[in-house]
């Protein structure tokens, strides 16, 4: 899933594709690089971000979705607003990627149910300006159990609203009301989330927990666009664990890494015979 941010304040690209023309061109580039899905968003969800007006969000995403869908792309809309979701589906989107899992807009699940679109429900606790105040997971099982249980509640609500089970995807929400340690625990503990019985989408690409992991001796986090090697390593590990989708900014790097993994998996294993090396 290639990211197409039609925003002036994205954490990953700082507005590089903020105009419809630039975003459409970028979407085409991601398809050539190997993207299966283009995820078009008009609202930044970086920590501390403020929400755009609904009119601004619509103006950002609808022309981009119309153009890319008309060219045959499989398009997802990244939105928390039912009004935007419905307009995006009319424009050609076939997936609604709601980072709030329906909590930001009580009408979202019913809106998606009224269409044929699939619905990605992410784990979420609060909007970007306050979400890190909710990064507490002190119950039994810690963050993994909490995310699993809270996603299960969202899925129940989405099913009750009429979205068919086979059109639901879940996302553990790395970075959303999560510390770096929470993110790593979730990455290592995806099995209980997969056991909910839905495909799993993961968005680890370029996030701040990778920047802090790769910080230099001075403690300064690695820059956003210098986190790609670590992102690709995670993509391979996640693919090995059977996740349904990988949301990524650098599609070529992710696609290359997955091609190498696929070729590795096609090659018969040759046992390695230990040889004397003199190392004890």
């Amino acid at each position: 899933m290639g990211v197409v941010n039609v925003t002036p304040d994205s954490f990953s690209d700082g507005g590089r594709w903020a105009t419809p023309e630039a975003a459409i061109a970028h979407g085409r580039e991601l398809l050539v690089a190997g993207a299966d899905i283009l995820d078009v968003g008009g609202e930044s969800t970086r920590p501390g971000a403020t929400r755009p007006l609904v009119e601004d969000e619509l103006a950002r995403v609808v022309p981009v979705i119309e153009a890319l869908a008309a060219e045959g792309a499989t398009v997802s809309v990244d939105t928390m607003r039912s009004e935007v979701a419905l307009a995006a589906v009319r424009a050609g989107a076939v997936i609604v990627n709601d980072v709030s899992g329906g909590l930001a807009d009580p009408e979202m699940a019913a809106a998606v149910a009224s269409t044929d679109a699939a619905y990605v429900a992410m784990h979420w606790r609060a909007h970007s300006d306050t979400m890190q105040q909710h990064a507490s997971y002190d119950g039994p099982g810690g963050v993994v159990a909490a995310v699993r249980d809270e996603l299960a509640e969202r899925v129940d609500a989405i099913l009750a609203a009429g979205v068919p089970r086979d059109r639901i995807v879940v996302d553990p929400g790395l970075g959303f009301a999560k510390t770096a340690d929470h993110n790593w625990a979730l990455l290592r503990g995806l099995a209980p989330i997969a056991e909910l019985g839905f495909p799993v989408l993961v968005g680890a690409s370029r996030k701040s927990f990778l920047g802090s992991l790769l910080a230099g001796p001075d403690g300064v986090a690695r820059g956003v666009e210098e986190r790609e090697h670590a992102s690709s390593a995670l993509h391979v590990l996640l693919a090995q664990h059977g996740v349904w989708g990988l949301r990524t900014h650098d599609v070529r790097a992710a696609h290359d890494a997955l091609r190498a993994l696929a070729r590795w998996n096609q090659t018969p294993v040759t046992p390695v015979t230990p040889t004397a090396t003199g190392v004890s």
Side-chain angles (χ1 to χ4, degrees):
M1 180 182 277
V3 178
V4 182
N5 287 320
V6 198
T7 58
D9 55 348
S10 166
F11 88 92
S12 65
D13 51 58
R16 191 178 304 172
W17 301 291
T19 66
E21 295 77 14
I24 292 165
H26 183 54
R28 292 171 179 151
E29 292 170 353
L30 295 181
L31 290 172
V32 171
D36 298 302
I37 301 166
L38 298 178
D39 193 38
V40 179
E43 175 179 353
S44 174
T45 52
R46 62 177 174 77
T50 56
R51 306 198 72 189
L53 296 174
V54 65
E55 294 81 3
D56 291 338
E57 187 179 353
L58 286 165
R60 292 171 182 176
V61 301
V62 169
V64 178
I65 292 169
E66 284 180 336
L68 293 171
E71 295 176 9
T74 299
V75 181
S76 167
V77 61
D78 178 0
T79 186
M80 292 182 277
R81 289 171 164 144
S82 58
E83 181 177 352
V84 175
L86 290 173
V89 172
R90 289 193 294 269
V94 295
I95 302 170
V96 175
N97 182 15
D98 178 3
V99 300
S100 81
L103 289 172
D105 183 345
E107 302 301 320
M108 177 65 91
V112 176
S114 72
T115 73
D116 292 327
Y119 187 26
V120 180
M122 196 190 79
H123 177 264
W124 184 90
R125 286 184 165 180
H127 286 290
S128 297
D129 56 346
T130 61
M131 64 182 178
Q132 291 310 109
Q133 299 171 24
H134 300 268
S136 177
Y137 303 90
D138 298 327
V143 65
V144 173
V147 169
R148 177 200 62 209
D149 293 348
E150 290 171 31
L151 275 176
E153 291 176 2
R154 298 313 311 147
V155 166
D156 287 345
I158 293 162
L159 289 168
V163 179
R165 187 177 186 87
D166 62 0
R167 283 173 23 204
I168 297 174
V169 176
V170 296
D171 181 336
L174 299 182
F176 288 78
K178 318 280 192 314
T179 66
D181 286 343
H182 293 148
N183 293 330
W184 288 112
L186 282 168
L187 286 167
R188 291 283 289 169
L190 285 176
I193 294 166
E195 288 169 2
L196 292 172
F198 301 92
V200 178
L201 173 69
V202 177
S205 176
R206 297 184 179 178
K207 289 193 171 177
S208 60
F209 75 102
L210 296 177
S212 60
L213 171 73
L214 303 172
D218 57 0
V220 176
R222 179 82 63 86
V224 171
E225 293 192 359
E226 297 179 343
R227 304 170 187 171
E228 207 55 58
H229 298 305
S231 296
S232 294
L234 282 181
H235 293 148
V236 170
L237 293 168
L238 289 165
Q240 288 177 313
H241 284 79
V243 301
W244 169 82
L246 299 165
R247 188 176 184 275
T248 183
H249 299 87
D250 190 333
V251 167
R252 171 172 284 184
H255 193 252
D256 288 353
L258 296 180
R259 288 177 65 185
L261 173 63
R263 185 63 182 85
W264 171 280
N265 288 336
Q266 292 169 6
T267 304
V269 176
T270 301
V272 176
T273 303
T275 58
T277 62
V279 177
S280 58

